[in-house]
C-alpha cells in the first residue's frame, strides 16, 4: 500500500508493455469497484478498491465490461459507486452496468484511427442475487436458467432485448463488440449456451465477441467473419492451482488476444475486416498472497516465475487452437 491507498500497478508492468501497442485495450472487471468506503470484501462476495481501475487504466485499458455474476455482490450502492468511478474517466468506455435506464440506453460512439466502435455487455446471471425490480439497468442480464438454450423460454425472450440493443447502435458504428459473461466455470469447452449466443450475436451483425467467466481459457475462432474469443481466462487472480478445480495452473493462465481492424471505404460502401489475430498467453504468479506478478509466456522472466512454463504453454496453446488450428499463439520464450 502507498500513502493514498492501494497500488496494483507493479503487478501488471509486463502487461502494460503489450497493451500500449494497441489503440483499444479491453478487459473485464470481474469484481465490483465499490471503493474502500463500503469495506473491501473477498470471495465469495466481493468489493474492490477504485485503485484496481486506476492500475488498469494506467496500463492502457480503455474498454471495460462491468456485467458479471458479481456485479450485485455489494448491493446497489456499490454499483452506483462503480458507475461514478468509471464516469469520471473521460477516455474509458465502461459498459454493462448503469445508474439509470437513460444511461443504459445511451449510445456511446468511440473512435480510434478513424474507425468508430462501441461495446455491449451481458452476464448470464448474478449468483442468485435478485436484480431490484424496476432497476434492471444496474446490470445487463441475458438469463441462462436451464440446461438447454432451445427450451429456455426466458433466455429466448431476452434475445429480443439484445436485438433491440444491437439495432440501437449497429448503424452508428463501424465496429460492434459484445462482451459476454457466460459459460461454466473451470471448463475449457464452450457450452451450448455460449455457442447459441455467439451464433445469435453473429447473425445480428456483431463483429467481435469476447467471453469471460469460466476463469480458464477457451478456444478462439471465427463464425463466418465474426471473431469469437470464447474465454480469456483470468488476467490477474488468486485462484491458485492447488484448488481441485484449478490443477495444471489452469486458473493462473489467461489470454490476451490482439487483432487488427481494417476499414475499407469505396464510394458509399465500407467494409470492416479483422486480421492479424494473435493470442498471448499470460501467467499470474504470487506467493503467500503477496508479490503478484502477471508475466507473458513470451517474456524472458517467465522462466523465473514458472519453471515448467513450456509444458504449460503447450497445454493452453492447444486449447486456444481447438476449433481453429491456424489461430496464432505468440511463441513462448526460448
Amino acid at each position: 500500500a502507498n500513502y493514498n491507498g492501494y497500488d496494483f500497478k507493479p503487478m501488471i508492468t509486463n502487461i502494460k508493455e503489450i497493451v500500449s501497442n494497441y489503440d483499444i485495450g479491453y478487459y473485464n472487471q470481474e469484481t465490483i469497484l465499490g471503493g474502500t468506503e463500503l469495506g473491501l470484501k473477498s470471495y465469495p462476495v466481493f468489493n474492490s478498491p477504485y485503485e484496481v481501475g486506476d492500475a488498469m487504466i494506467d496500463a492502457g485499458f480503455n474498454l471495460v465490461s462491468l456485467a458479471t455474476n458479481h456485479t450485485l455482490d455489494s448491493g446497489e450502492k456499490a454499483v452506483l459507486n462503480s458507475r461514478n468511478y468509471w464516469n469520471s474517466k473521460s477516455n474509458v468506455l465502461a459498459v454493462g452496468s448503469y445508474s439509470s435506464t437513460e444511461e443504459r440506453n445511451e449510445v456511446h460512439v468511440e473512435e480510434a484511427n478513424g474507425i468508430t466502435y462501441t461495446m455491449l455487455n451481458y452476464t448470464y446471471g448474478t449468483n442468485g442475487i435478485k436484480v431490484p425490480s424496476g432497476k434492471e439497468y444496474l446490470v445487463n442480464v441475458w438469463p441462462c436458467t436451464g440446461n438447454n438454450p432451445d427450451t429456455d423460454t426466458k433466455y429466448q425472450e431476452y434475445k429480443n432485448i439484445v436485438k433491440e440493443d444491437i439495432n440501437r447502435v449497429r448503424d452508428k458504428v463501424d465496429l460492434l463488440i459484445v462482451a459476454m459473461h457466460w459459460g461454466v466455470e473451470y471448463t475449457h469447452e464452450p457450452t451450448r449456451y455460449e455457442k447459441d449466443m455467439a451464433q445469435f450475436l453473429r447473425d445480428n451483425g456483431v463483429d467481435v465477441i469476447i467471453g469471460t467467466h469460466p476463469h480458464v481459457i477457451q478456444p478462439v475462432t471465427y463464425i463466418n467473419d465474426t471473431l469469437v474469443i470464447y474465454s480469456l481466462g483470468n488476467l490477474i487472480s488468486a485462484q491458485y492451482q492447488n484448488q481441485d478445480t484449478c490443477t495444471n495452473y489452469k486458473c493462473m493462465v489467461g489470454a490476451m488476444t490482439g487483432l487488427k481492424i481494417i476499414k475499407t471505404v469505396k464510394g458509399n460502401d465500407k467494409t470492416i475486416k479483422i486480421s492479424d489475430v494473435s493470442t498471448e498467453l499470460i501467467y499470474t504468479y504470487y506467493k503467500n498472497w503477496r508479490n503478484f506478478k502477471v508475466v507473458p509466456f513470451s517474456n524472458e522472466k517467465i522462466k523465473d516465475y514458472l519453471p515448467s512454463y513450456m509444458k504449460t504453454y503447450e497445454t493452453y496453446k492447444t486449447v486456444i487452437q481447438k476449433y481453429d488450428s491456424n489461430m496464432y499463439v505468440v511463441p513462448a520464450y526460448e
Side-chain angles (χ1 to χ4, degrees):
N2 61 17
Y3 66 94
N4 86 15
Y6 296 88
D7 182 10
F8 299 95
K9 291 171 190 155
M11 301 181 181
I12 53 174
T13 47
N14 301 314
I15 291 298
K16 187 173 177 175
E17 293 168 23
I18 297 170
V19 182
S20 60
N21 298 322
Y22 292 87
D23 298 300
I24 306 172
Y26 161 80
Y27 90 97
N28 169 60
Q29 181 54 53
E30 182 74 26
T31 58
I32 190 86
L33 304 189
T36 43
E37 67 262 35
L38 297 183
L40 300 183
K41 300 201 286 273
S42 181
Y43 181 83
V45 178
F46 293 97
N47 183 46
S48 298
Y50 303 127
E51 287 90 343
V52 173
D54 295 346
M56 298 304 276
I57 293 168
D58 176 74
F61 291 101
N62 55 12
L63 184 60
V64 187
S65 53
L66 304 176
T68 80
N69 52 312
H70 293 290
T71 305
L72 297 180
D73 276 10
S74 293
E76 182 178 353
K77 182 74 180 95
V79 173
L80 300 179
N81 283 2
S82 153
R83 197 62 256 179
N84 285 339
Y85 170 81
W86 290 110
N87 286 352
S88 74
K89 309 296 172 193
S90 56
N91 55 347
V92 179
L93 177 60
V95 299
S97 171
Y98 305 96
S99 55
S100 68
T101 304
E102 293 71 40
E103 187 178 52
R104 182 204 183 276
N105 293 336
E106 273 168 26
V107 176
H108 291 275
V109 178
E110 304 294 322
E111 188 174 321
N113 286 339
I115 297 175
T116 56
Y117 66 92
T118 197
M119 178 179 251
L120 299 172
N121 171 218
Y122 306 89
T123 176
Y124 72 90
T126 49
N127 286 359
I129 301 171
K130 259 186 100 51
V131 181
S133 181
K135 295 183 175 179
E136 287 75 17
Y137 54 77
L138 291 172
V139 57
N140 278 350
V141 179
W142 184 354
C144 304
T145 47
N147 298 319
N148 181 348
D150 301 333
T151 55
D152 186 340
T153 47
K154 200 170 179 190
Y155 164 77
Q156 293 295 345
E157 277 166 23
Y158 268 68
K159 283 184 174 176
N160 299 324
I161 294 174
V162 175
K163 198 178 170 74
E164 259 173 55
D165 292 342
I166 292 172
N167 291 343
R168 192 181 299 119
V169 300
R170 182 58 279 194
D171 61 351
K172 296 181 176 71
V173 291
D174 299 318
L175 179 77
L176 177 54
I177 309 161
V178 174
M180 287 303 311
H181 212 67
W182 62 9
V184 172
E185 291 179 316
Y186 316 120
T187 57
H188 294 300
E189 186 62 35
T191 61
R192 288 178 65 179
Y193 276 99
E194 284 174 77
K195 289 176 178 172
D196 191 79
M197 286 163 148
Q199 186 67 50
F200 179 80
L201 294 169
R202 197 235 48 108
D203 291 345
N204 283 281
V206 175
D207 300 297
V208 180
I209 302 164
I210 310 172
T212 53
H213 176 61
H215 298 292
V216 298
I217 290 173
Q218 291 184 352
V220 179
T221 191
Y222 283 96
I223 302 178
N224 300 82
D225 292 338
T226 297
L227 182 68
V228 185
I229 302 159
Y230 275 109
S231 173
L232 289 168
N234 285 334
L235 177 73
I236 183 166
S237 87
Q239 290 191 299
Y240 196 60
Q241 70 125 22
N242 293 349
Q243 297 177 7
D244 299 340
T245 44
C246 291
T247 50
N248 298 328
Y249 302 103
K250 73 179 182 181
C251 296
M252 313 314 290
V253 176
M256 295 175 73
T257 298
L259 49 129
K260 205 181 257 180
I261 308 292
I262 300 160
K263 176 179 166 181
T264 311
V265 182
K266 283 184 181 160
N268 291 331
D269 286 343
K270 62 173 189 202
T271 54
I272 285 286
K273 189 175 182 306
I274 295 164
S275 76
D276 298 69
V277 178
S278 79
T279 297
E280 177 92 56
L281 294 177
I282 56 174
Y283 172 71
T284 298
Y285 168 87
Y286 72 101
K287 198 165 188 177
N288 305 327
W289 298 94
R290 289 216 161 339
N291 306 319
F292 281 78
K293 205 81 180 160
V294 184
V295 192
F297 280 76
S298 61
N299 189 316
E300 186 178 357
K301 298 173 191 148
I302 189 71
K303 56 186 203 294
D304 303 326
Y305 289 102
L306 181 64
S308 66
Y309 75 94
M310 214 59 196
K311 183 168 167 273
T312 308
Y313 169 86
E314 289 299 338
T315 300
Y316 299 110
K317 178 186 177 182
T318 304
V319 175
I320 294 287
Q321 295 181 331
K322 182 166 183 190
Y323 294 167
D324 184 346
S325 56
N326 296 320
M327 201 46 78
Y328 182 71
V329 181
V330 178
Y333 176 78
E334 280 191 46

